[in-house]
């Protein structure tokens, strides 16, 4: 089914989103603060709007992808939103999403928030994912159109849920990057070839460790942190060893130290017999 869709914001991501919608045969009206960015999309069949209000007037679905929530709110300020579905795919905080959802509802619109788990080059291709939350009715109505941009996944009626899960996934990513950077500093300090270490040792090891995490999630959900793998005392000694080895090697363990602090806190409560999953209780 071909839909009428407005896309507000034609940065790198907004342009990729609009292109994927056009490629899927939707009728797309585009607006951007700097009008020149609309040119290539118009050449591909998009309609150019001079103002956000003009873009929204002709389209029941409004996709917003701007720098941040303050700019999204400013762009929607003078727009008639009654009867519209606003899908805001701008990255932000859960509180900002809830606030904007209320603001849109006060103007008679329905609101969906979205967290884009992809870079622009992945949009419209397998592997791209967008998390949605807010109005389930709006999600169901436009799920097929959303699928042109990326796999759409509805995560709940709280508009803040998609941005929260987006931030949680980024948190996992930053943790992995922190581990990689510390490992890289240690390995290069010993002049071992980092490329070989990364592809033949580290990546297979990280994949094996990641495969254990669903079982950890079950433990955290049940509150039972008993372990048959390695308890906190063993990990505490392991972390001491790591930090000491880093210093002897002339490398700063700064990205590891916060984790050591939490392990030490938990062990000081006499919970050294538990597994690492219990650290969530400290956080
Ligand atoms: N790029 C990625 O890999 C990626 C991945 C996931 C999520 N995202 C999210 O997608 C959103 C857009 O990112 P992007 O990569 O497209 O950024 P970008 O290329 O820097 O584009 C920013 C967009 O916001 C507009 N803008 C900024 N301030 C504005 C204001 N005060 N009023 C009106 N428009 C304003 C810009 O307009 P002008 O063209 O006039 O400057 C442009 O359309 C961000 O929230 C980002 O976190 C991006």
């Amino acid at each position: 089914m071909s839909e009428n869709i407005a896309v507000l914001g034609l940065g790198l991501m907004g342009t990729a989103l609009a292109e994927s919608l056009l490629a899927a045969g939707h009728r797309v009206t585009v607006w951007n603060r700097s009008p020149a960015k609309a040119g290539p999309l118009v050449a591909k069949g998009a309609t150019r709007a001079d103002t956000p209000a003009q873009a929204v007037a002709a389209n029941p679905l409004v996709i917003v992808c701007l720098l941040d929530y303050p700019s999204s709110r400013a762009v929607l300020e003078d727009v008639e939103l009654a009867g519209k579905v606003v899908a805001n795919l701008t990255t932000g905080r859960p509180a900002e999403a809830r606030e904007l959802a209320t603001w849109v509802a006060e103007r008679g619109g329905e609101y969906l928030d979205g967290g884009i788990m992809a870079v622009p080059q992945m949009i419209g291709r397998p592997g791209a994912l967008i998390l949605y939350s807010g109005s389930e009715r709006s999600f169901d109505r436009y799920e097929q159109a959303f699928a042109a941009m990326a796999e759409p996944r509805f995560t709940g009626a709280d508009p803040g849920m998609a941005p929260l899960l987006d931030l949680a996934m980024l948190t996992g990513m930053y943790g992995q990057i922190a581990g990689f950077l510390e490992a890289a500093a240690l390995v290069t300090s010993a002049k071992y070839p980092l490329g070989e270490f990364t592809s033949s040792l580290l990546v297979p090891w990280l994949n094996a460790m990641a495969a254990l995490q669903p079982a950890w999630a079950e433990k955290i959900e049940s509150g039972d942190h008993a372990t048959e793998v390695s308890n906190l005392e063993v990990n505490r000694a392991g972390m001491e060893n790591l930090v000491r080895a880093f210093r002897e090697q002339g490398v700063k363990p700064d990205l590891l130290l916060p984790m050591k602090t939490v392990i030490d806190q938990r062990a000081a409560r006499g919970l050294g017999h538990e597994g690492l999953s219990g650290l969530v209780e400290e956080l």
Side-chain angles (χ1 to χ4, degrees), residues 219 224-232 235 272-277:
K219 285 193 163 296
D224 174 8
H225 301 296
T227 179
E228 283 147 21
V229 180
S230 69
N231 68 28
L232 212 56
N235 282 283
H273 58 282
E274 285 185 354
L276 282 170
S277 60

Side-chain angles (χ1 to χ4, degrees), residues 8-17 31-37 52 64-72 74-75 88-92 114-121 123 129 166 170:
L8 307 182
L10 303 175
L12 294 173
M13 185 54 87
T15 297
L17 297 174
W31 173 85
N32 193 58
R33 179 180 62 177
S34 315
K37 288 188 186 164
V64 181
C65 188
L66 294 161
L67 178 67
D68 54 16
Y69 278 66
S71 52
S72 302
V75 162
N88 186 23
L89 307 187
T90 303
T91 305
I116 303 175
M117 309 313 301
V119 296
Q121 292 71 15
I123 296 298
L129 171 71
D166 182 344
L170 292 177

Side-chain angles (χ1 to χ4, degrees), residues 70-157:
S71 52
S72 302
R73 169 85 171 261
V75 162
L76 293 172
E77 191 69 49
D78 297 322
V79 174
E80 176 56 72
L81 293 177
K84 308 290 181 182
V85 170
V86 176
N88 186 23
L89 307 187
T90 303
T91 305
R93 306 191 319 277
E96 291 180 298
R98 293 179 193 122
E99 203 180 310
L100 191 58
T102 303
W103 188 84
V104 168
E106 284 166 1
R107 282 152 186 79
E110 290 190 31
Y111 185 82
L112 273 169
D113 206 277
I116 303 175
M117 309 313 301
V119 296
Q121 292 71 15
M122 291 165 69
I123 296 298
R125 298 199 161 88
L129 171 71
I130 300 183
L131 306 171
Y132 293 87
S133 58
S135 164
E136 188 163 13
R137 184 172 71 157
S138 301
F139 178 82
D140 290 343
R141 168 68 184 83
Y142 289 114
E143 184 176 1
Q144 212 190 338
F146 293 150
M149 301 185 288
E151 180 197 328
R153 186 96 54 98
F154 187 73
T155 61

